[in-house]
Amino acid sequence: MRARGWDELDVLIGLDNHFQEAWAWRIPAALQGGTDPALQSLAREIAGLKPETTFVAKSGAYFEGARINVGNVTIDGHRSKIVEAVTSGRGALVIAPNADNVTISGFEIYGSTIGENAAAVWIDAPNAVIRNVYFHDNDTHVMSSGVKGGTLVIEDSKFADAMGSTTEPGQTHGFYLGYHDQVIARRFDLRRSGRDGHNFKTRAHSSLIEDCTIAQEGAHSSRSFDFAMGGMHTIRRCVIQHGPAGNRDVIGFGH
């Protein structure tokens, strides 16, 4: 049955029988006036993707993520959203180990959370590029903690409100990057990593971080940067704001 004021509230109320509870459902704001999510499946749309090609997503919102199983491709979100999606218990977009040299661009991704280490983009391949994205309200934004070798590039993007782990506070971070040979991160804005996580954690051998803003603001974060394995790292032309609830260390090195 339809609730009173349906045209005004866009709420659907269902009742199976009088022995059970009723349920209510409202069309998400991201879809009002947009594309029916039943017609959009990112996993299905990229299933036949070939190397050396670019996939351009449909406008609107996707309510499921995808695993990327082929390398040397570009996945262009084209200003679309991925909302509250976790693929294989890992992330909204999961780059498989054999999918090297994948570029992710143009997506807004939010709500990828399981209360642990779910990520907007989970990377299991050495080389990847993340460009021109907006990730917010995920457990973590970019995860590649188990990767060895290669170069990870993050640029021209915004990241906010990594929620962290509810079960293991301090174990989830804004960026949680692995043993890459090099991380290049430039022209990005990263803010408010919660539950005692670092804003930017990496085990990379070297990194270049430039022209960025890293701000804890009022979040209960830990370090602004954590270079966990030491290495050769350059930070230049960046603004670092370390909030009052943070760790005493702004930058950790070799912990």
Side-chain angles (χ1 to χ4, degrees):
M1 65 180 178
R2 286 188 173 180
R4 180 180 179 183
W6 162 260
D7 293 336
E8 179 183 351
L9 300 176
D10 288 335
V11 174
L12 183 69
I13 294 179
L15 182 65
D16 186 39
N17 61 63
H18 65 280
F19 295 107
Q20 297 181 354
E21 296 179 351
W23 54 264
W25 183 75
R26 187 175 188 274
I27 299 172
L31 288 175
Q32 292 180 22
T35 305
D36 185 346
L39 303 178
Q40 294 202 155
S41 168
L42 189 59
R44 184 172 63 241
E45 291 169 18
I46 70 170
L49 199 60
K50 304 295 184 185
E52 310 298 337
T53 59
T54 296
F55 166 82
V56 179
K58 297 176 182 177
S59 61
Y62 294 88
F63 281 80
E64 64 173 17
R67 181 180 173 88
I68 302 165
N69 293 308
V70 60
N72 297 301
V73 297
T74 295
I75 312 294
D76 183 359
H78 194 57
R79 299 182 298 279
S80 63
K81 299 178 174 65
I82 303 178
V83 183
E84 297 180 354
V86 178
T87 300
S88 304
R90 292 190 164 190
L93 294 176
V94 177
I95 300 176
N98 60 317
D100 205 19
N101 291 304
V102 169
T103 296
I104 303 291
S105 68
F107 282 101
E108 178 182 352
I109 300 178
Y110 59 94
S112 296
T113 174
I114 56 174
E116 295 180 39
N117 271 332
V121 175
W122 183 294
I123 302 168
D124 282 328
N127 298 284
V129 176
I130 297 174
R131 176 183 295 135
N132 192 28
V133 299
Y134 177 31
F135 297 165
H136 59 98
D137 298 286
N138 307 293
D139 285 343
T140 189
H141 303 308
V142 181
M143 165 71 77
S144 66
S145 66
V147 170
K148 296 181 179 180
T151 297
L152 172 63
V153 177
I154 302 170
E155 60 187 9
D156 301 314
S157 297
K158 293 177 64 176
F159 308 89
D161 300 302
M163 294 187 287
S165 173
T166 57
T167 57
E168 296 182 278
Q171 301 302 307
T172 303
H173 315 287
F175 296 165
Y176 195 170
L177 311 180
Y179 301 88
H180 298 277
D181 292 330
Q182 185 179 31
V183 168
I184 300 172
R186 54 200 173 199
R187 301 183 302 275
F188 69 91
D189 190 301
L190 172 62
R191 302 188 184 222
R192 299 183 300 274
S193 298
R195 296 200 176 104
D196 298 322
H198 308 309
N199 269 352
F200 191 121
K201 175 171 181 171
T202 179
R203 297 187 178 100
H205 298 297
S206 70
S207 61
L208 172 61
I209 302 161
E210 60 184 5
D211 301 309
C212 69
T213 297
I214 297 225
Q216 292 185 344
E217 297 181 348
H220 205 284
S221 308
S222 184
R223 300 183 180 97
S224 292
F225 291 94
D226 186 60
F227 301 109
M229 306 303 292
M232 298 292 292
H233 305 282
T234 299
I235 303 170
R236 64 190 183 195
R237 299 189 304 272
C238 291
V239 174
I240 305 170
Q241 182 268 330
H242 199 64
N247 194 297
R248 288 184 299 172
D249 304 331
V250 177
I251 299 173
F253 186 83
H255 288 284

